[in-house]
């Protein structure tokens, strides 16, 4: 559940009217509820309270340093996938001992910075990456803590673009090859094997693929033990889905129960990397209607576009869109579209929408995960503000970009002359 609720036909986030925030910061903007974030973290984390574990929030889903700090303050860590996310996590004050670093393409420089920071472990995705880590660690005179991301070849039954655990996906080391890689790593002077990791996809709405992949990983851990390789950490990645439009994903408690049952007597610290399930329904994108027009179809043209929320265009994702005031009025089927010069720029298509007029506010719901974090400057649009509500107060946690920010770092070489 989340803290976006109507009071007298006006949408509130916790105790703040969404329209009051729009008045203060302009539109569009992302709005997050600290209460929802906190409750979601607690529900997830407490579901694993009876076993050693670290809930490492997947920064890629919503990387604002205030959000990273919020979760760190609740005892969480961070799952990062780039040097930029490491910088964010460190700036937010996340304990480096609770940072895990995933991703298929870490550079030597990123690996070095991660090792300097003393992160918990690097989740290694290829033999070549392992060789680079060995070289970097040797140069620094330390042992790099690593786990290997194995690819269990399990179908997560989700959108093809966000499936990662199939043999045909680019992620991880095929589980059949992994033993050889572990044995090689165990002989490397500057590698400390800590664990095994696995992440099969995102927006999973069934528990069975998680259990199936854990069963395979468990079998693999037994093989490792037979070879004298013990591990202290098992990283199960993220992926638990949320409800966008009638899906019925397992509750964190159900997910945790299934995982713990399959774990059985395996003793190690569990690392979990939830992203979407913590932030998805804790955030909304608030946008203003600019115009409406009717021809063959009815269009509601709003001031947020695919550069602000890419998910509908990219994955054909569904986000509920509701009027901020008087949500229960007569409806008409419409496309909700942005100002970007592409037909693919839509937030909703052929959707029954309240009959809204220019200047009214709309809230695009469930936009907390992979919303702002995937936004871009396409069409030279400054990225929008992010606002965090806490009770009856709101805080701008990222200022709206300006035109100056748009051209930051750009320059015109002298040979092009002075211009008009
Ligand atoms: N750990 C790893 C290694 C991952 O690759 C991901 C997501 C997560 C954790 C967090 O997964 P979550 O709990 O959020 O499902 N942009 C897409 C989602 C991409 C997910 C990429 N990896 C979307 O908007 O649906």
């Amino acid at each position: 559940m989340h803290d976006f609720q109507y009071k007298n036909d006006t949408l509130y986030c916790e105790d703040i009217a969404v329209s009051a925030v729009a008045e203060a910061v302009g539109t569009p903007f992302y709005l997050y509820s600290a209460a929802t974030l906190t409750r979601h973290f607690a529900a997830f984390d407490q579901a694993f309270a009876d076993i050693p574990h670290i809930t490492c929030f997947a920064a890629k889903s919503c990387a604002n340093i205030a959000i990273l700090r919020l979760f760190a303050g609740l005892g969480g860590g961070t799952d990062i996938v780039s040097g930029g996310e490491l910088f964010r996590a460190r700036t937010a004050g996340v304990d480096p001992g609770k940072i895990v670093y995933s991703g298929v393409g870490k550079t030597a420089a990123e690996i070095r910075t991660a090792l300097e920071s003393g992160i918990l472990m690097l989740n290694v995705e290829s033999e070549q990456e392992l060789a680079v880590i060995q070289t970097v660690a040797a140069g620094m005179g330390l042992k790099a803590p690593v786990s290997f991301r194995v690819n269990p070849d399990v179908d997560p039954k989700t959108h093809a673009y966000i499936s990662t655990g199939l043999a045909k996906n680019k992620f991880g080391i095929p589980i059949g090859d992994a033993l050889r890689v572990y044995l090689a790593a165990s002989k490397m002077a500057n590698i400390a094997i800590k664990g095994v990791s696995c992440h099969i996809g995102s927006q999973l709405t069934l528990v069975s693929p998680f259990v199936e992949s854990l069963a395979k990983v468990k079998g693999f851990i037994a093989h490792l033990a037979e070879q004298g390789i013990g591990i202290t950490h098992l990283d199960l990645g993220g992926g638990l889905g949320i409800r966008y439009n009638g899906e019925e994903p397992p509750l964190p408690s159900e997910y945790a129960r299934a995982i713990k049952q399959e774990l059985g007597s395996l003793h190690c610290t569990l690392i979990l990397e939830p992203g979407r399930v913590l932030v998805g329904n804790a955030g909304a994108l608030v946008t203003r209607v600019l115009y409406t027009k009717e021809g063959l179809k009815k269009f509601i043209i709003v001031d947020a576009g695919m550069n602000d929320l890419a998910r509908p265009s990219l994955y054909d994702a569904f986000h509920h869109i509701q009027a901020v005031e008087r949500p229960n009025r007569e409806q008409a089927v419409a496309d909700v579209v942005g100002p970007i010069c592409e037909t693919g720029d839509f937030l909703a298509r052929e959707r029954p929408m309240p009959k809204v007029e220019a200047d009214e506010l709309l809230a695009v719901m469930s936009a907390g995960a992979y919303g702002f974090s995937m936004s871009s400057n396409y069409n030279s649009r400054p990225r929008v503000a992010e606002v965090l509500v806490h009770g009856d107060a709101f805080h701008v946690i990222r200022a709206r970009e300006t035109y100056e920010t748009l051209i930051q770092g750009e320059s015109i070489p002298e040979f092009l002359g002075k211009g008009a």
Side-chain angles (χ1 to χ4, degrees), residues 32-43:
Y32 309 102
S33 157
T36 308
L37 293 166
T38 303
R39 206 173 44 248
H40 285 181
F41 182 89

Side-chain angles (χ1 to χ4, degrees), residues 58 60 79 162 199 202 238-239 273 275-276 311 315 370 374:
K60 66 171 81 63
D79 160 46
I162 53 178
H199 168 83
S202 195
E273 303 174 352
R276 189 187 321 261
R311 302 194 71 258
Y315 314 113
Y370 308 104
M374 290 178 73

Side-chain angles (χ1 to χ4, degrees), residues 56-61 79-81 102-103 123 125 149 159 161-162 164 171 198-199 201-204 235-241 244 272-279 310-311 314-315 317 319 369-371 373-374:
C56 295
F57 171 60
K60 66 171 81 63
S61 62
D79 160 46
I80 59 164
V81 290
S102 314
N123 292 341
E125 301 221 13
R149 177 169 175 180
H159 191 286
Y161 288 7
I162 53 178
T164 53
F171 295 97
C198 179
H199 168 83
S202 195
Q203 181 56 11
L204 272 70
D235 184 339
L236 292 180
L240 189 56
Y244 286 101
L272 301 145
E273 303 174 352
R276 189 187 321 261
V277 70
L278 300 188
V279 294
R311 302 194 71 258
L314 198 53
Y315 314 113
H319 288 263
Y370 308 104
S373 67
M374 290 178 73

Side-chain angles (χ1 to χ4, degrees), residues 6 21 33 116 124 177 197 220 253 258 264 268 382 392 394:
Y6 285 92
V21 183
S33 157
E116 276 165 6
V124 184
D177 295 346
S197 80
F220 174 69
S253 56
C268 48
D392 60 4
F394 69 87

Side-chain angles (χ1 to χ4, degrees), residues 335-411:
D335 283 17
V336 182
V337 300
I340 301 277
C341 300
E342 296 208 23
T343 300
D345 176 31
F346 57 84
L347 299 177
R349 280 192 297 187
E350 307 201 343
R351 178 92 60 86
M353 286 292 301
K355 284 189 168 173
V356 287
E357 289 170 14
D359 274 344
E360 288 198 62
L361 294 171
L362 295 177
V364 184
M365 306 306 291
S366 310
Y370 308 104
F372 185 87
S373 67
M374 290 178 73
S375 68
S376 78
N377 290 125
Y378 186 41
N379 274 208
S380 286
R381 290 165 50 81
R383 280 186 298 168
V384 306
E386 290 180 286
V387 179
L388 179 64
V389 171
H390 182 222
D392 60 4
F394 69 87
H395 307 269
V396 176
I397 56 172
R398 192 178 210 274
R400 185 180 306 285
E401 290 180 354
T402 63
Y403 291 153
E404 279 67 37
T405 2
L406 278 182
I407 56 165
Q408 207 165 42
E410 295 182 21
S411 60

